[in-house]
Amino acid sequence: MITRMVMGRDKALVELHRSLGARYRPEVVAQLVWHCLKGDLRRAERSKLAGVAEEAGRWDGLSSMSEDFARPVGGAHQVAATSRLFDVAARVDADAPTSLMAFAQSVGAEIRFDPEHADFLADRLNRQQRTSAGMDISKRQYNRRFRALRRLTAKADKLAGEQNKRQLTVQARAGFAAELTLERFRADPNAACFVAYYTAKRKLRREFTLSGRDNPFDEIAELLFARCREKGNTDWWMIAQVYATPEVLDRLTDEQRGLLLGRWFAVLRATAEMLEKVWAAGEFDRERMVVRRGNDSSTWNLLCGAYNTARAAWLSCLTASGASDLLDTVCPGKAMMLIAGDLVAWHSVSGSGLHPDTRVWAALPLPWEVLAGREDCTASEVAVACESVGVDPVRNGWTAPKPPGPVGTFRPTPELVHGVSVADPLWAMLLRSAGAFSGTPIKAGYVAELSAESGGHPPS
């Protein structure tokens, strides 16, 4: 039995802290929580938590779902190539864009390389300029060095962008959890366990379904949150980083609420600016938000998640601070995610049709235009747009913090392939390798194997 494994509280807390920036399955986190709190749990709490923790052992713990968000590939290859060409020993953090750029500027001084002017056709020095600069190398060697530095600086720029995307991905699902220190975690195990479990539920991948996402605040989150309520010295500031509800925010000081309000507004503004760039780069179907050829749907949906999370937390902080009247001046709307055409067709066949929030989004000024001060949009205007399509602006989180829904029921993490739930992890691994449910033909060599596994009916 998993719950009979031996693990001390501190080791469990360290692993729970590691999970904050990763993507552990909730049942795995529940197992760690059990080891952390088992000595303090009441009988009913032990029984409920142990039942969820046991699910971590399904299929002997095997899962096809990654335990981390994709991490950008660093610039080690570009650093090695540049070091060889310039015959220098590199002391570089290949995963830090600033370190890569500093290295490029340092070695690039030898050939007068300027990262701001790295166009291969327009910015290279000619023979006379190289001679004047005292370069005793051939044109070929100069060109090779210029190209290497150009690739290195381009990698630094790309790496910075990819790291920013990953940070926004984590913030969209887990708020500022990844910034919490291990020392803070150790100081309040009950709050730490709630934060780790709740964020694990928030980080579950979207499933291809008509019923919408389950409430991440499920029966285990409720159990852990109730323990935090009972303690007189709970670290509510730590909880507020991931669960900015009125109850939590009311327990903070004015200074803490103001700080959190400012942090979320900064994320809101920064994400809106990034959304604007993606919007400008493609032709979007604003009325229906169905993916079109050329849309970068992955980046758009990632940014939408981060923007809407920041917006909801910002609204909560405004309300808790007694500053809701500011929405009478500026109230940017939500951002709608892009949806696949086949899911739209499924909704249509089922009779559910287009989500009414999409019509509200289409009727309002674009959020980045509002936040940049180029368009006006107030809470009253948002409310009118909502009511025109039968949407409650408060209950749906357009003009106020969205009221909490019913407590969810725990269910084991499904094995997903492009959002489609499949029977077990081995089947999921095979389908993923074959390219099933990706919108492209099954890869050569997998058709017969899939046909045999599925009784003669391979997925298309």
Side-chain angles (χ1 to χ4, degrees), residues 150-198:
R150 185 169 179 268
R151 294 188 189 107
L152 180 60
T153 54
K155 180 64 178 180
D157 288 338
K158 182 178 180 180
L159 181 60
E162 292 302 313
Q163 288 179 347
N164 191 30
K165 282 185 184 180
R166 188 181 187 280
Q167 180 183 9
L168 287 172
T169 300
V170 176
Q171 286 179 343
R173 308 296 178 85
F176 300 117
E179 300 175 25
L180 294 170
T181 64
L182 179 57
E183 290 70 27
R184 191 148 205 157
F185 238 53
R186 284 177 167 142
D188 189 346
N190 284 293
C193 288
F194 170 77
V195 166
Y197 182 80
Y198 179 70

Side-chain angles (χ1 to χ4, degrees), residues 100 184 186 201 283 377 435 454:
L100 293 178
R184 191 148 205 157
R186 284 177 167 142
K201 289 288 292 186
E283 294 291 332
C377 186
S454 59

Side-chain angles (χ1 to χ4, degrees), residues 10-169:
D10 192 65
K11 183 177 180 181
L13 279 170
V14 169
E15 194 63 29
L16 285 170
H17 183 262
R18 187 177 293 117
S19 76
L20 296 181
R23 208 171 200 176
Y24 291 17
R25 289 177 294 145
E27 49 266 50
V28 173
V29 174
Q31 176 188 338
L32 294 168
V33 168
W34 195 90
H35 287 295
C36 181
L37 299 180
K38 58 186 177 183
D40 301 328
L41 295 170
R42 304 181 185 92
R43 179 178 296 178
E45 293 172 331
R46 287 171 63 89
S47 176
K48 182 176 287 189
L49 189 56
V52 173
E54 291 296 336
E55 293 293 341
R58 283 188 309 157
W59 301 300
D60 293 325
L62 177 66
S63 175
S64 68
M65 311 307 289
S66 172
E67 289 193 340
D68 200 2
F69 293 98
R71 293 183 180 273
V73 177
H77 176 74
Q78 290 80 6
V79 169
T82 304
S83 299
R84 286 195 301 270
L85 279 173
F86 285 87
D87 192 24
V88 296
R91 295 180 178 85
V92 185
D93 181 352
D95 294 322
T98 54
S99 183
L100 293 178
M101 193 63 75
F103 178 61
Q105 290 176 325
S106 175
V107 298
E110 181 180 318
I111 63 167
R112 304 292 177 87
F113 178 80
D114 181 357
E116 299 296 324
H117 298 87
D119 186 278
F120 187 75
L121 296 178
D123 296 321
R124 284 175 299 155
L125 302 181
N126 58 32
R127 179 186 299 177
Q128 181 178 351
Q129 290 169 324
R130 295 197 302 273
T131 301
S132 298
M135 296 182 204
D136 189 20
I137 55 175
S138 67
K139 177 181 178 181
R140 180 173 179 272
Q141 289 300 319
Y142 170 78
N143 286 345
R144 290 182 66 194
R145 286 163 171 74
F146 191 96
R147 286 194 184 96
L149 291 168
R150 185 169 179 268
R151 294 188 189 107
L152 180 60
T153 54
K155 180 64 178 180
D157 288 338
K158 182 178 180 180
L159 181 60
E162 292 302 313
Q163 288 179 347
N164 191 30
K165 282 185 184 180
R166 188 181 187 280
Q167 180 183 9
L168 287 172
T169 300

